[in-house]
């Protein structure tokens, strides 16, 4: 059914989802597969949010990172594969033999291979005196992963699910309860003493959680550090945007609907319950349940009256703050720029003191090494991005903004030249995205990557689930348990859909 030809306003939906990021799409597809009448309202032209894509001059660029977990084919933690299967869909995935090639201070040049033993050997070669501690720390991460990988990952808010899971997997549940309040850094320090190695563990966490190990929940670390050796990192053929496109196809086949260029400006409430939404053009859609895939800041400060923020949301904001956004360079380069044996994903840091600073850590993805069809023949895509705050980009005139973009881009290209000599000369296309770009196109407050703890918290205990203090309103995505990352927001989508399905009696 064509979204544009449907008369939505005269109909009421079981569930309305605001935004088509992966969390929103998984929620919608799970519910549509169960027979719910679902509508997604997406402000942009295509689905996916930061898992979307854009095309320029024969290049297909991923908006965000291209290091994808959750597309494996075994276990229960391959949530993207399972979400697609729920609506009879799939993507062709290309296995990446190396998760990351680290280029770190003091010549710490290390590849995280898919083989677990190879990775441990490579790391122990740099820190032979910590060989036993390295194995004990990463083995403990496996304990967390093996517990998660035994059970269906659904809503922890649903008592019958919790009871059923506990009866089926009592030891795994008790283990996870032990790890729930713990952070990865505390466990790393039990086994490891070398300060340089502890810095490396910080980077292992920071590169996806945007905080050091002492502030990264052990549950999340266990998932990431083990799944890269289990289901592995897999790249969807045709680009990351294929995941969202296929979920939308599956949604529509299951009877759900999506409407593009439909910007929600208000969540409507009646007697304290969410009952519908209003768009910028004044259109109103009613639903029994409303799901916000916007950030919690956007949800509770923009879509709802700011003077009525529930007390538990204010408390959450005392615990969590917005992470930085990113400065992104989307480049097309000549094939000759990349040395033989170059890996797809790189992390570059010259000084440990700069790890968490703006422009400190530099992330690089070269997805055409896995899928050459994303670029013209004899060219590659290089996507380089680094954390940056929106404050540094505010209050500039148009010419000042362009000048700052160019100056910053060449500063980053100079750093990349050390690893990819000749990058400047081989540059065919360059587009620069700033935190303002992320805010504009992704509709995220300050272009933020998501929430990070304001101080050290007890693991994942402070992260909210999907239900909110407003009856009928749910949140999904990286502002909810378990946090950032494509597989994590897919988890939140499964949990949200499960909670709503129970509430609707599906």
């Amino acid at each position: 059914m064509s979204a544009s030809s449907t008369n939505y306003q005269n109909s009421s939906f079981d569930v309305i989802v605001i935004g088509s990021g992966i969390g929103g799409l998984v929620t919608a597809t799970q519910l549509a597969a169960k027979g719910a009448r679902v509508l997604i309202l997406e402000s942009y032209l295509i689905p996916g949010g930061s898992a979307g894509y854009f095309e320029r001059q024969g290049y297909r660029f991923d908006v965000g990172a291209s290091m994808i977990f959750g597309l494996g084919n075994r276990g229960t933690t391959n949530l993207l594969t399972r979400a697609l299967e729920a609506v009879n869909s799939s993507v062709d995935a290309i296995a990446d033999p190396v998760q990351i090639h680290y280029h770190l201070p003091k010549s710490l040049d290390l590849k995280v291979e898919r083989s677990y033993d190879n990775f441990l050997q490579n790391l122990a070669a740099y820190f032979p005196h910590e060989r036993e501690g390295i194995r004990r720390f990463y083995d403990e991460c496996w304990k967390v992963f093996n517990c998660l990988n035994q059970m269906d990952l659904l809503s922890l808010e649903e008592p019958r699910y919790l009871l059923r899971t506990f009866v089926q997997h009592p030891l795994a549940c008790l283990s996870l309860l032990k790890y729930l309040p713990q952070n990865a850094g505390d466990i790393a320090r039990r086994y490891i003493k070398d300060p340089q190695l502890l810095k490396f563990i910080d980077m292992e966490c920071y590169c996806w959680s945007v905080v050091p190990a002492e502030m990264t929940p052990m549950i999340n670390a266990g998932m990431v550090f083990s799944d890269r050796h289990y289901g592995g990192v897999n790249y969807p053929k045709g680009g990351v945007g294929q995941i969202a496109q296929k979920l939308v196809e599956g949604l529509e086949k299951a009877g759900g609907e999506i409407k593009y260029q439909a910007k929600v400006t208000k969540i409507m409430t009646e007697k304290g319950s969410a009952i519908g939404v209003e768009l910028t053009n004044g259109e109103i859609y009613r639903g029994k349940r409303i799901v916000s895939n916007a950030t919690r800041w956007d949800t509770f400060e923009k879509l709802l009256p700011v003077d009525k923020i529930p007390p538990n949301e204010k408390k959450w904001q005392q615990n969590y703050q917005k992470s930085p956004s990113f400065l992104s360079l989307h480049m097309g380069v000549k094939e000759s720029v990349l040395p033989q044996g170059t890996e797809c994903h790189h992390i570059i840091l010259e000084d440990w003191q700069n790890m968490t600073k703006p422009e400190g850590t530099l992330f690089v993805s070269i997805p055409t090494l896995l899928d050459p069809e994303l670029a013209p023949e004899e060219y590659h895509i290089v996507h380089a991005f680094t954390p940056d705050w929106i404050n540094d980009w505010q209050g500039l005139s148009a010419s000042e903004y362009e000048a700052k973009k160019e100056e910053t881009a060449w500063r980053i290209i100079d750093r990349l030249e050390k690893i990819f000599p000749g990058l400047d000369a081989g540059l065919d296309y360059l587009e620069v995205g700033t935190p303002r770009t992320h805010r504009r196109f992704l509709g995220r407050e300050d272009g933020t990557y998501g929430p990070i703890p304001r101080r050290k918290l007890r693991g994942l205990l402070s992260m909210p689930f999907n239900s909110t203090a407003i009856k009928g309103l749910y949140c999904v995505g990286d502002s909810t348990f378990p946090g950032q990352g494509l597989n994590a927001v897919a988890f939140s989508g499964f949990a949200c859909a499960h909670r709503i399905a129970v509430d609707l009696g599906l």
Side-chain angles (χ1 to χ4, degrees):
M1 186 186 295
S2 161
S4 56
S5 64
T6 309
N7 184 0
Y8 294 98
Q9 287 176 277
N10 299 331
S11 353
S12 181
F13 293 85
D14 293 319
V15 182
I16 293 173
V17 180
I18 304 165
S20 67
I22 295 298
L25 284 169
V26 172
T27 305
T29 47
Q30 286 287 302
L31 287 164
K34 291 179 171 74
R37 187 141 188 262
V38 182
L39 169 66
I40 298 178
L41 296 168
E42 168 56 51
S43 63
Y44 193 48
L45 305 166
I46 58 167
S50 52
Y53 72 94
F54 63 97
E55 292 179 302
R56 300 282 190 276
Q57 296 180 18
Y59 296 96
R60 176 176 282 199
F61 293 107
D62 297 324
V63 170
S66 50
M67 189 192 299
I68 307 302
F69 293 89
L71 280 177
N73 52 20
R74 57 193 183 126
T76 63
T77 59
N78 54 347
L79 296 171
L80 294 172
T81 299
R82 291 176 58 214
L84 288 159
E85 283 174 350
V87 283
N88 300 313
S89 195
S90 64
V91 297
D92 292 333
I94 304 157
D96 191 347
V98 169
Q99 182 216 4
I100 299 173
H101 184 173
Y102 285 112
H103 310 264
L104 300 175
K106 297 191 178 173
S107 303
L108 179 47
D109 189 276
L110 178 83
K111 295 182 182 184
V112 180
E113 293 185 35
R114 189 174 278 222
S115 159
Y116 179 56
D117 286 329
N118 284 4
F119 163 63
L120 294 188
Q121 283 171 18
N122 292 347
L123 187 55
Y126 281 94
F127 304 98
H129 53 293
E130 291 279 18
R131 187 177 297 275
E132 187 186 346
I134 289 168
R135 181 167 281 279
R136 289 179 73 186
F137 169 66
Y138 284 103
D139 278 0
E140 188 134 358
C141 293
W142 272 104
K143 288 179 189 172
V144 174
F145 178 79
N146 289 334
C147 293
L148 290 166
N149 200 32
Q150 286 178 43
M151 54 186 76
D152 274 343
L153 302 176
L154 296 171
S155 177
L156 302 182
E157 298 181 273
E158 212 283 285
R160 284 174 299 178
Y161 160 73
L162 289 178
L163 181 61
R164 185 174 72 246
T165 305
F166 186 79
V167 168
Q168 291 170 344
H169 311 284
L171 295 177
C173 288
L174 289 170
S175 286
L176 287 175
L177 278 174
K178 180 183 85 173
Y179 288 115
L180 203 56
Q182 298 192 65
N183 290 326
D186 300 327
I187 292 174
R189 277 195 294 275
R190 273 183 219 158
Y191 304 124
I192 292 165
K193 297 291 177 279
D194 187 299
Q196 175 92 342
L197 178 53
L198 288 169
K199 285 284 185 196
F200 174 76
I201 305 282
D202 278 338
M203 177 58 89
E204 281 261 84
C205 292
Y206 180 78
C207 71
W208 49 269
S209 70
V210 208
V211 285
E214 68 164 7
M215 293 165 79
T216 298
M218 183 60 182
I219 298 268
N220 296 27
M223 185 87 159
V224 173
F225 294 162
S226 308
D227 194 29
R228 63 190 182 185
H229 307 293
Y230 180 83
V233 174
N234 299 281
Y235 188 76
K237 191 163 175 50
V240 173
Q242 286 298 305
I243 300 169
Q245 298 280 351
K246 294 285 187 183
L247 284 169
V248 167
E249 284 173 26
L251 172 78
E252 292 179 329
K253 279 185 203 157
E257 300 165 32
I258 184 165
K259 183 176 171 70
Y260 297 107
Q261 292 181 286
K263 186 170 173 59
V264 174
T265 54
K266 183 180 174 186
I267 294 169
M268 297 159 55
T269 58
E270 202 172 80
K271 296 177 184 168
S273 297
I275 57 152
V277 299
E278 186 177 334
L279 305 190
T280 43
N281 63 5
E283 287 180 4
I284 288 171
Y285 302 96
R286 295 181 178 271
K288 294 175 189 170
R289 297 292 186 274
I290 309 298
V291 179
S292 176
N293 191 192
T295 72
R296 287 189 111 81
W297 295 281
D298 290 291
T299 303
F300 290 98
E301 293 176 11
K302 292 183 178 172
L303 300 181
L304 287 157
V306 74
D307 59 339
K308 293 185 180 166
I309 296 178
N312 63 336
E313 291 301 328
K314 288 179 181 169
K315 185 166 188 268
W316 181 80
Q317 290 195 18
Q318 287 164 12
N319 285 331
Y320 288 89
Q321 62 185 336
K322 284 168 279 199
S323 74
S325 183
F326 284 98
L327 179 91
S328 293
L329 271 61
H330 294 278
M331 292 172 276
V333 304
K334 286 180 183 168
E335 197 173 58
S336 55
V337 167
L338 303 181
Q340 195 69 33
T342 298
E343 303 299 345
C344 180
H345 297 106
H346 301 258
I347 286 178
I348 299 165
L349 179 67
E350 298 84 357
D351 183 344
W352 286 121
Q353 299 297 317
N354 296 335
M355 184 179 81
T356 61
K357 292 179 181 173
E359 287 185 49
T361 299
L362 187 54
F363 303 80
V364 182
S365 294
I366 313 172
T368 38
L369 290 168
L370 299 173
D371 185 358
E373 290 178 13
L374 301 171
E377 207 169 329
E378 297 184 5
Y379 286 86
H380 279 292
I381 283 168
V382 176
H383 177 200
F385 50 106
T386 185
D388 204 354
W389 296 95
I390 200 164
N391 299 354
D392 296 334
W393 295 88
Q394 303 283 50
L396 302 173
S397 69
S399 59
E400 287 168 338
Y401 182 57
E402 290 305 318
K404 185 175 169 69
K405 283 207 298 189
E406 187 165 341
E407 176 197 333
T408 310
W410 289 111
R411 200 160 54 235
I412 288 169
I413 289 168
D414 284 345
R415 289 171 69 189
L416 291 171
E417 278 267 350
K418 295 182 178 75
I419 289 157
F420 308 115
L423 178 69
D424 180 357
L427 201 57
D428 174 58
Y429 181 84
L430 171 64
E431 187 156 337
V432 183
T434 73
R436 278 168 52 175
T437 318
H438 286 266
R439 180 179 63 187
R440 180 181 167 201
F441 287 103
L442 302 180
R444 295 175 67 89
E445 175 79 2
D446 293 345
T448 179
Y449 173 64
I452 55 174
R454 288 185 183 274
R455 59 187 175 281
K456 187 178 175 184
L457 300 171
R458 295 186 65 209
L460 272 176
L461 288 179
S462 304
M463 263 312 246
F465 296 123
N466 303 101
S467 300
T468 71
I470 295 167
K471 197 170 180 243
L473 175 65
Y474 304 75
C475 284
V476 74
D478 53 30
S479 295
T480 60
F481 183 97
Q484 291 104 329
L486 236 55
N487 213 24
V489 296
F491 184 153
S492 100
F494 274 96
C496 189
H498 177 217
R499 178 68 264 177
I500 292 170
V502 170
D503 292 347
L504 288 175
L506 294 174

